[in-house]
Structure formats: C-alpha cells, structure tokens
C-alpha cells in the first residue's frame, strides 16, 4: 500500500484541508499520514474562529518518524499557517524526499482575485519558494497570478492561461496545473503543462454556478489519491475534476442547503466505484 504524508491545518468543523484529505485519500486505498499544522475551531470563512498554531510540534513529530525509518511515496501540502511554517515544510521535503517520492503542493492562499484574510505578500513569496521544490503544483488562477506577478483576469482566453503556465513552469515544478480554468462558456476545469514532455493538457467539464469552500482541497486530495493508485497526472486531474463537479451537484440538491462545505460523504462511494 502506498503511503502519503499530508501537511495542512485541521479545521474541526468546515470540511476542508485535513478533514477532506484524510477521508478521501484513505478511501482510495492509500495510507494517509497527517501532520496538522494548526487546529482551528472552523475554517476561516466563519467569523470568530479559534486557532492554535502547532509549529512547535512539527520538529519533534517528524524527528520521531525519522528515527522510526518512515518513508513516504508522496508528500502533499495544502493550507499552511505562516511563512515560518513553510520553512519547516521545506525542511520536511529535504528530510523525507526519497528517489520516488512525489511532492504535490497546493499553494492554498487566495481565490477570486484576493488573498485569504490571514496572508500577505511575504507569505506569497514563501509559497512561491515551496512550489519551486515540488514535482506537481495545483494553484488556482488567483494564486498563480500572485506567484508570477501576472494580472488577475475574470475574462481570458487560452493565450493568457498558457502564459500563466509558462511562468509557473519557470518556478521549477515538473508539472504545473491551473485549476478553475474556463475556456468555453458554461465549462470549467483544469489546464496543465508537463515540462518533461512539453505537453499541455486541458480538461473541461460543465460549470456549475455555485461556489463552496473546500472544493479545491477535494480536487487536490482526489488527484493525490488517484496518482498513488497509478494514474497519470492527466488521468488523475480528469477524475478529480469530474468528482468535484459531481459532489457540488449533489450538494446543491441537499434541502438543508449547507453553505460551509460540500457533501463529499455522500459521493465518496461513487469515487471508489469509479
Ligand atoms: O480550503 C482551504 C482552507 C483550508 N483551511 C482553512 C481555510 C481554508 C480556506 O479559507 O480557511 C483554515
């Protein structure tokens, strides 16, 4: 069985970061080791959330794993708390990167043209450095703009996306994947670039006009799980894009109208069967 380490916060309520990564990657038949970077009462879209930073636990936990001789087939990072914590994560990459360890970085920090409340440009620079040390990065368009200095646009064509991918590629990862790419009316999906083959990959599915917190984490976690099951990054992105869209559709049918997260619990069996 493959073993993945995922490093992100744990938002006790809210369905994002570790409360998505752990169930989704485990359900795909992959051992999921977690390193919680902070404990929050809820994700940051609630007002009045509490945060306990766990930075001082990172070194002792990982030192123990080192002593036990633990290795990972992949390391997947998502929302991290502070610039200092990103330095700690870079050290984990250095310490645990084996010859075949895939490093997947989702530089979670922004959406819809804006940084999340907790972050500033110093954090953007650190996240950009973290991406340089990854094999695969999966930013959304906003995050890619912050990291490359390109202007954020709501309306764009393929040239804009290819320019963003080319600038992301210069950051250093082997594969750069942009999420939330809409190149046709009524469609959305991903476009990626693989520097080893020089190939672009575009996948578009139907756009559903609803936005939920945690869908980026659902997409990335599904990609990681599928790649660990032996899928190529292109196959994994397609499955993850379809699964995320399906989950949003199912959530929209919930009469209780959940606002803070998607009903992935209802759709996980479909992912496993697929
Ligand atoms: O879904 C990304 C995410 C993860 N963790 C926390 C967040 C967010 C997005 O805002 O607030 C704590």
């Amino acid at each position: 069985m493959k073993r993945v380490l995922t490093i992100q916060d744990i938002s006790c309520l809210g369905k994002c970061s570790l409360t998505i990564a752990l169930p989704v990657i485990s359900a795909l038949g992959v051992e999921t080791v977690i390193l919680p970077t902070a404990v929050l009462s809820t994700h940051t879209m609630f007002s009045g959330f509490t945060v306990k930073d766990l930075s001082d636990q990172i070194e002792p936990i990982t030192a123990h794993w080192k002593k036990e001789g633990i290795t990972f087939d992949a390391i997947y990072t998502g929302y991290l708390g502070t610039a200092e914590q990103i330095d700690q994560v870079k050290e984990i990459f250095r310490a645990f990167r084996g010859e075949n360890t895939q490093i997947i970085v989702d530089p979670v920090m922004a959406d819809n043209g804006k940084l999340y409340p907790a972050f500033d440009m110093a954090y953007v620079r650190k996240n950009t450095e973290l991406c340089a040390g990854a094999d695969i990065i999966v930013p959304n368009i906003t995050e890619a703009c912050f990291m490359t200095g390109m202007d954020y646009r709501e309306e764009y064509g393929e040239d804009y996306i290819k320019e963003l991918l080319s600038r992301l590629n210069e950051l250093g990862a082997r594969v750069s994947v942009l999420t939330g790419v809409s190149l046709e009316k009524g469609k959305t999906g991903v476009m990626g670039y693989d520097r080893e083959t020089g190939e672009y990959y575009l996948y578009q599915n139907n756009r559903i006009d609803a936005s939920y917190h945690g869908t980026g984490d659902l997409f990335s976690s599904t990609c990681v799980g599928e790649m660990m099951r032996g899928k190529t990054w292109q196959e994994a992105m397609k499955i993850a894009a379809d699964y995320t869209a399906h989950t949003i559709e199912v959530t929209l049918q919930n009469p209780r109208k959940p606002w803070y997260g998607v009903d992935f619990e209802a759709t996980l069996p479909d992912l496993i069967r697929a």
Side-chain angles (χ1 to χ4, degrees), residues 9 11 16-17 40 43-45 79 108 116 213-214 217:
D9 73 278
S11 294
C16 66
S17 41
L40 289 83
H43 61 53
T44 59
M45 296 296 135
Y79 186 105
V108 179
Y116 291 147
H213 222 59
D217 302 333

Side-chain angles (χ1 to χ4, degrees), residues 128 131-133 137 147-148 150 162-176 193 195:
T128 311
C131 284
I137 57 172
M147 291 197 293
T148 60
M150 269 180 67
K162 283 192 165 165
E163 174 68 24
L164 262 177
L165 283 171
S166 149
R167 297 216 199 169
L168 286 174
N169 177 48
E170 284 166 17
L171 301 181
R174 180 173 62 81
V175 174
S176 301
Y193 176 73
R195 78 134 59 90

Side-chain angles (χ1 to χ4, degrees), residues 188-243:
T188 189
V190 297
M191 187 165 189
Y193 176 73
D194 188 326
R195 78 134 59 90
E196 262 171 24
T197 60
E199 275 170 7
Y200 289 96
Y201 173 73
L202 172 69
Y203 182 66
Q204 300 276 274
N205 57 13
N206 286 337
R207 187 191 179 104
I208 308 154
D209 259 332
S211 114
Y212 283 102
H213 222 59
T215 49
D217 302 333
L218 190 64
F219 173 82
S220 304
S221 300
T222 309
C223 286
V224 171
E226 293 293 346
M227 285 191 289
M228 288 296 102
R229 277 155 69 114
K231 299 280 196 289
T232 64
W233 69 264
Q234 294 93 330
E235 290 165 340
M237 302 292 149
K238 176 180 185 305
I239 294 169
D242 284 339
Y243 175 59

Side-chain angles (χ1 to χ4, degrees), residues 2 7 11 13 15 20 55 79 83 85 112 115 123 145 152 157 164 193 197 231 255 257 263:
K2 299 274 189 183
I7 311 173
S11 294
L13 181 145
K15 303 202 228 185
I20 286 200
S55 297
Y79 186 105
Q85 227 169 42
N112 302 312
L115 285 175
Y123 189 82
C145 285
Y152 174 76
L164 262 177
Y193 176 73
T197 60
K231 299 280 196 289
K257 302 265 174 266
D263 290 348

